[in-house]
C-alpha cells in the first residue's frame, strides 16, 4: 500500500513538473512573440505624384478601379487634411521636404532654381557642374543632391542598416529622383527625352550604367509610347471636367484645337523627340515600367534588410501646366495613373509579398484652377503682368534712392537687394527693406508683403507669414517676400501653375498603406514634414537630421 502511494505521488510530481515546464516554455514563447517597437518591411515605396491636388482623389473617384487609388484608400490610411506648411510650393522644395521632414528654411532647397546671392548667379536645385553625365552625351546628367543641406529618410535608412539597405530613386524629372534618393542613394535615374529617350544618371552615383539599365534602354520600350493620346474611356463620361474644346488650354505643336485625340507628328514619329512623351500620361507609364525593372533587377525587397524604392510620377505636372486643373486631359491622366498604381501594387505583391512592404503616396504641390476660367465664372482671379507694375517700382527706386540698381534680382516672388550698394549710400538694410515693402503693398496686385528682417526677428505660428517663414532660408532667400492676391498668378492665360502659399497649392493627398499601417482616415491636419518622421518611427530609425515634423501617430499600428 505504501509503495502504491509513493508511485502515485511520483506520477503527480512528474505531471506537475511537466506542467510547470510547459508554462515556462509558453512564457518564453510569449516573450519572444512580444511586438517590437518597430516594423521591418522588406521594402518601403515612396510615391510622389507631381502637381496632384487632393480633390483629384475624390473628383474622379467613381472612375477609378478597385486596385489603384481605391485600394490605397480603402485598405490604408487617408490623411484628408494634409498641407504644405511653406512656400514656394514647387517641385524641388516639395520632394526635398517630403524626404527630409524639414522645410526649405532648414534643408535649403528654396525653389526649383534661385538666385545665388553669394556668387551672383543662378542655382538649380539639383544641378552640379562638378559631376558628369552617365548614359548621355548631353549635360542632362550633371546632377547631385549637394545643395540639400540635411539628410533624408532614405539616407537614414542607409545609415541605420550599415549601408545594406538599398535605395533607388526613379522619376522623369532629375530633381524628382535626385532629392528623394538623398546623399547616399545607390542610384537615382531620370529620363532624357529629346532624340535619345533613355534613362540616365550622374557620376555622383556611378561611373557607368548597370547592365540592366543599358539593356532596358536598348529594348526601346519607350518607342511603344510614341502614339496618339486618346481617352481611356468614352470622353462623354468625363463629366467631372470641363469641355474638351476651350480657350483655357495649351496646344501641342501643329494642333489647332486642344482636343482629343492628340496625335501630332512628334507623338507618332518613332525616331525623334521623345521629350513630348513627358507631357502625356505615357510618361507615367514608362516611369512604372522602369521602376519595376529596377525592383526586379536589383532584387529589392528580397531579404530581411529594408530597401527603399522612391518613385515620382512627373507627367501629371507637365499635363497640368499645359491643360489646367479642369481639363479632360487631367482627368484622363489620373484615370490612367490609377492603372499604373494597380500595376505597381500587383507587381509588389508578386515580387515582395502582400503585407511585406510599406507604401506612402503624396504630392509635391497642388495647383490653381486657370484664372481666366475662374474669371469667366465670376470668381475673383487674374494675372500679374510684370510690365504694369515693375516700371512703376523702378521709378520709385530712382526717386527714393537715385538708382533702380539697388535690386539685383527678382525671382520666386522675392526681391534680392544689392547690400553693398545700399551700404555705400549709407542706408540701413532694414529701412530699405521696409520702404520697398510698403511701396509694393500699395499696389493692388499684392495681398501681403514681408521683409527678411521680419522673417528673421519674428516667430509666426499660423497663416501666410508662418508658411513664408518656413520657406525662408537666411543664406539663400531674398530681402522681400511678396504674395499675390488669392487667385492671381504670373503665368500665361492657358494652363495651371503653382508656387503660392494659398490653400489650392498646399492641400495635397497623403496615403499610407501596407505593413505597420492602420486602416482608416482622418481630417486632423497633417503637414508634409510629418511624412519622414512617420516612416522613420515605423522603421525604428533616427529621424533625418533637420526634421521638424512629427510622426502621425494615428497612422501607425
Amino acid at each position: 500500500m505504501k509503495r502504491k502511494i509513493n508511485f502515485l505521488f511520483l506520477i503527480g510530481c512528474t505531471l506537475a513538473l511537466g506542467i510547470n515546464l510547459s508554462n515556462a516554455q509558453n512564457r518564453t514563447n510569449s516573450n519572444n512573440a512580444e511586438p517590437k517597437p518597430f516594423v521591418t518591411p522588406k521594402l518601403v515605396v515612396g510615391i510622389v505624384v507631381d502637381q496632384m491636388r487632393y480633390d483629384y482623389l475624390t473628383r474622379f473617384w467613381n472612375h477609378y478601379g478597385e486596385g489603384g487609388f481605391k485600394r490605397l484608400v480603402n485598405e490604408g490610411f487617408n490623411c484628408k487634411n494634409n498641407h504644405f506648411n511653406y512656400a514656394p510650393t514647387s517641385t524641388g522644395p516639395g520632394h526635398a521636404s517630403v524626404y527630409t521632414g524639414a522645410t526649405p528654411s532648414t534643408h535649403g532647397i528654396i525653389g526649383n532654381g534661385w538666385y545665388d546671392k553669394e556668387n551672383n548667379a543662378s542655382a538649380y536645385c539639383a544641378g552640379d557642374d562638378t559631376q558628369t553625365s552617365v548614359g548621355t552625351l548631353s549635360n542632362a546628367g550633371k546632377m547631385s543632391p549637394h545643395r540639400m543641406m540635411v539628410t533624408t529618410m532614405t539616407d537614414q535608412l542607409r545609415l541605420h542598416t550599415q549601408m545594406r539597405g538599398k535605395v533607388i530613386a526613379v522619376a522623369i524629372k532629375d530633381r524628382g529622383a535626385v532629392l528623394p534618393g538623398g546623399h547616399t542613394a545607390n542610384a537615382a535615374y531620370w529620363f532624357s527625352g529629346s532624340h535619345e529617350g533613355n534613362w540616365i544618371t550622374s557620376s555622383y552615383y556611378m561611373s557607368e550604367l548597370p547592365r540592366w539599365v543599358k539593356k532596358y534602354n536598348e529594348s526601346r520600350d519607350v518607342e511603344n509610347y510614341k502614339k496618339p493620346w486618346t481617352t481611356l474611356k468614352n470622353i462623354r463620361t468625363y463629366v467631372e471636367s470641363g469641355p474638351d474644346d476651350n480657350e483655357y488650354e495649351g496646344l501641342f505643336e501643329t494642333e489647332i484645337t486642344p482636343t482629343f485625340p492628340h496625335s501630332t507628328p512628334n507623338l507618332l514619329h518613332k525616331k525623334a523627340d521623345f521629350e513630348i512623351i513627358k507631357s502625356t500620361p505615357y510618361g507615367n507609364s514608362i516611369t512604372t515600367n522602369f521602376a519595376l525593372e529596377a525592383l526586379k533587377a536589383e532584387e529589392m525587397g528580397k531579404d530581411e534588410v529594408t530597401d527603399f524604392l522612391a518613385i515620382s510620377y512627373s507627367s501629371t505636372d507637365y499635363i497640368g501646366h499645359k491643360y489646367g486643373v479642369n481639363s479632360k486631359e487631367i482627368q484622363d491622366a489620373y484615370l490612367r495613373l490609377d492603372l499604373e498604381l494597380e500595376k505597381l501594387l500587383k507587381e509588389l505583391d508578386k515580387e515582395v509579398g502582400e503585407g511585406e512592404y510599406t507604401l506612402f503616396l503624396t504630392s509635391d504641390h497642388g495647383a490653381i484652377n486657370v484664372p481666366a476660367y475662374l474669371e469667366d465664372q465670376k470668381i475673383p482671379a487674374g494675372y500679374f503682368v510684370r510690365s504694369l507694375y515693375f516700371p512703376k517700382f523702378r521709378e520709385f527706386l530712382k526717386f527714393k534712392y537715385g538708382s533702380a540698381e539697388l535690386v539685383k534680382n527678382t525671382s520666386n516672388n522675392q526681391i534680392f537687394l544689392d547690400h553693398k550698394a545700399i551700404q555705400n549710400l549709407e542706408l540701413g538694410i532694414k529701412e530699405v527693406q521696409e520702404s520697398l515693402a510698403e511701396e509694393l503693398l500699395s499696389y493692388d496686385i499684392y495681398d501681403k508683403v514681408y521683409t527678411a528682417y521680419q522673417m528673421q526677428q519674428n516667430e509666426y505660428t499660423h497663416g501666410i507669414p508662418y508658411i513664408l517663414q518656413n520657406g525662408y532660408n537666411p543664406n539663400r532667400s531674398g530681402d522681400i517676400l511678396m504674395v499675390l492676391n488669392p487667385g492671381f498668378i504670373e503665368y500665361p492665360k492657358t494652363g495651371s501653375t503653382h508656387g503660392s502659399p494659398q490653400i489650392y497649392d498646399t492641400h495635397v493627398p497623403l496615403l499610407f498603406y501596407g505593413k505597420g499601417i492602420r486602416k482608416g482616415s482622418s481630417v486632423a491636419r497633417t503637414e508634409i514634414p510629418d511624412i519622414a518622421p512617420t516612416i522613420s518611427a515605423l522603421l525604428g530609425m533616427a529621424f533625418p537630421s533637420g526634421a521638424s515634423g512629427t510622426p502621425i501617430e494615428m497612422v501607425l499600428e
Side-chain angles (χ1 to χ4, degrees):
M1 185 70 179
K2 184 176 180 181
R3 188 180 301 116
K4 184 177 181 181
I5 292 174
N6 289 340
F7 178 71
L8 291 174
F9 178 75
L10 181 61
I11 291 175
C13 289
T14 302
L15 287 172
L17 179 62
I19 292 171
N20 286 335
L21 288 171
S22 176
N23 287 338
Q25 183 65 41
N26 287 338
R27 283 196 300 273
T28 301
N29 291 338
S30 176
N31 289 336
N32 288 339
E34 283 182 0
K36 301 174 183 177
F38 58 90
V39 298
T40 52
K42 292 183 177 180
L43 181 70
V44 176
V45 181
I47 299 175
V48 177
V49 182
D50 206 324
Q51 202 188 121
M52 183 176 181
R53 290 162 52 114
Y54 177 80
D55 63 349
Y56 290 160
L57 196 61
T58 56
R59 226 173 94 198
F60 310 136
W61 182 262
N62 292 336
H63 288 274
Y64 293 143
E66 297 301 317
F69 284 116
K70 284 187 176 179
R71 177 178 173 182
L72 297 180
V73 170
N74 293 332
E75 299 179 29
F77 198 97
N78 181 12
C79 299
K80 300 180 179 181
N81 188 22
N82 182 60
H83 291 268
F84 283 89
N85 62 344
Y86 67 84
T89 41
S90 50
T91 302
H95 284 78
S97 298
V98 167
Y99 279 84
T100 64
T103 61
S105 61
T106 299
H107 62 60
I109 305 299
I110 65 169
N112 290 337
W114 60 88
Y115 172 68
D116 182 346
K117 53 192 179 184
E118 286 188 14
N119 298 308
N120 192 28
S122 297
Y124 176 57
C125 64
D128 189 347
D129 287 336
T130 68
Q131 305 298 327
T132 57
S133 299
V134 177
T136 177
L137 297 176
S138 73
N139 291 329
K142 299 178 74 171
M143 305 289 163
S144 85
H146 76 107
R147 286 194 167 95
M148 187 163 57
M149 299 161 61
V150 296
T151 64
T152 59
M153 60 176 136
T154 45
D155 287 326
Q156 295 304 147
L157 177 63
R158 294 276 286 155
L159 294 170
H160 187 70
T161 61
Q162 298 301 310
M163 301 296 171
R164 291 179 297 149
K166 190 172 288 187
V167 170
I168 294 179
V170 174
I172 289 285
K173 294 181 180 179
D174 48 50
R175 56 187 179 270
V178 170
L179 299 173
H183 302 275
T184 60
N186 297 84
Y189 300 104
W190 52 96
F191 185 69
S192 177
S194 187
H195 65 284
E196 295 177 319
N198 285 332
W199 290 90
I200 67 170
T201 189
S202 162
S203 58
Y204 180 86
Y205 305 100
M206 61 192 72
S207 58
E208 65 176 322
L209 291 175
R211 176 177 290 184
W212 70 265
V213 178
K214 292 179 182 178
K215 185 177 179 182
Y216 184 84
N217 284 335
E218 290 167 0
S219 75
R220 305 313 296 157
D221 174 61
V222 65
E223 292 186 4
N224 295 322
Y225 298 96
K226 293 278 286 181
K227 60 185 180 180
W229 178 9
T230 58
T231 55
L232 181 66
K233 298 183 178 182
N234 187 327
I235 196 169
R236 293 181 181 178
T237 67
Y238 288 12
V239 296
E240 295 80 10
S241 48
D244 190 29
D245 191 4
N246 63 74
E247 60 184 329
Y248 313 116
E249 300 176 8
L251 300 169
F252 279 122
E253 60 182 42
T254 76
E255 285 187 330
I256 299 173
T257 61
T259 54
F260 282 103
H262 298 290
S263 53
T264 70
N266 275 354
L267 270 175
L268 297 172
H269 198 302
K270 293 291 192 297
K271 300 298 181 185
D273 197 2
F274 294 94
E275 197 75 16
I276 200 168
I277 294 178
K278 296 178 180 180
S279 297
T280 75
Y282 307 136
N284 290 333
S285 300
I286 64 174
T287 301
T288 304
N289 291 352
F290 187 77
L292 289 175
E293 195 69 20
L295 175 77
K296 297 169 186 176
E298 297 287 353
E299 298 185 330
M300 302 185 77
K302 292 297 185 181
D303 57 28
E304 299 308 311
V305 180
T306 303
D307 296 324
F308 200 118
L309 178 61
I311 306 171
S312 180
Y313 286 108
S314 308
S315 287
T316 42
D317 184 68
Y318 290 104
I319 295 166
H321 278 295
K322 181 178 282 289
Y323 294 103
V325 166
N326 201 45
S327 64
K328 300 288 189 201
E329 284 77 7
I330 272 290
Q331 179 161 358
D332 191 69
Y334 277 90
L335 302 195
R336 289 179 178 276
L337 178 59
D338 185 56
L339 295 181
E340 296 302 319
L341 293 175
E342 181 175 359
K343 177 180 177 180
L344 177 67
L345 290 169
K346 284 182 177 179
E347 287 300 309
L348 289 171
D349 290 344
K350 177 183 173 183
E351 296 294 327
V352 183
E354 190 169 359
E356 293 296 333
Y357 59 90
T358 303
L359 180 150
F360 69 83
L361 182 149
T362 189
S363 181
D364 55 350
H365 53 75
I368 187 175
N369 220 318
V370 180
Y373 167 73
L374 295 177
E375 286 181 295
D376 288 345
Q377 309 310 312
K378 301 179 181 179
I379 294 173
Y383 295 87
F384 170 72
V385 181
R386 191 172 287 246
S387 61
L388 295 179
Y389 294 93
F390 271 44
K392 180 180 178 182
F393 184 60
R394 288 180 65 85
E395 287 301 315
F396 165 78
L397 289 171
K398 290 178 182 178
F399 176 79
K400 180 82 173 178
Y401 300 108
S403 172
E405 304 309 314
L406 296 184
V407 173
K408 297 189 73 173
N409 181 269
T410 303
S411 56
N412 291 332
N413 289 311
Q414 298 179 27
I415 290 177
F416 294 79
L417 298 177
D418 188 333
H419 285 214
K420 287 184 179 179
I422 292 171
Q423 289 167 357
N424 288 338
L425 293 173
E426 298 183 350
L427 299 170
I429 301 296
K430 174 177 177 289
E431 288 70 29
V432 174
Q433 289 177 353
E434 290 174 347
S435 175
L436 270 57
E438 185 178 356
E439 171 68 13
L440 290 166
L441 199 53
S442 70
Y443 302 166
D444 59 3
I445 194 70
Y446 291 115
D447 181 42
K448 293 176 175 62
V449 181
Y450 290 88
T451 67
Y453 183 82
Q454 287 176 295
M455 292 292 107
Q456 293 173 20
Q457 297 300 314
N458 299 321
E459 185 174 350
Y460 300 105
T461 58
H462 62 279
I464 296 297
Y466 163 74
I467 293 174
L468 293 179
Q469 191 169 51
N470 284 333
Y472 175 82
N473 183 284
N475 295 320
R476 295 182 175 179
S477 298
D479 292 272
I480 297 170
L481 291 70
M482 304 163 290
V483 180
L484 295 173
N485 291 327
F488 283 73
I489 58 174
E490 184 177 10
Y491 202 68
K493 290 198 172 183
T494 58
S496 294
T497 193
H498 49 85
S500 81
Q502 307 295 351
I503 201 163
Y504 43 75
D505 283 340
T506 69
H507 189 197
V508 298
L510 176 56
L511 307 175
F512 290 91
Y513 171 87
K515 190 167 186 176
I517 302 299
R518 286 179 180 171
K519 294 181 182 180
S521 65
S522 176
V523 294
R525 182 181 174 93
T526 56
E527 295 181 336
I528 285 294
D530 297 336
I531 298 172
T534 301
I535 295 298
S536 298
L538 178 81
L539 300 179
M541 66 186 188
F543 291 7
S545 60
S548 56
T550 56
I552 308 170
E553 185 177 357
M554 57 193 171
V555 164
L556 304 177
E557 285 185 343

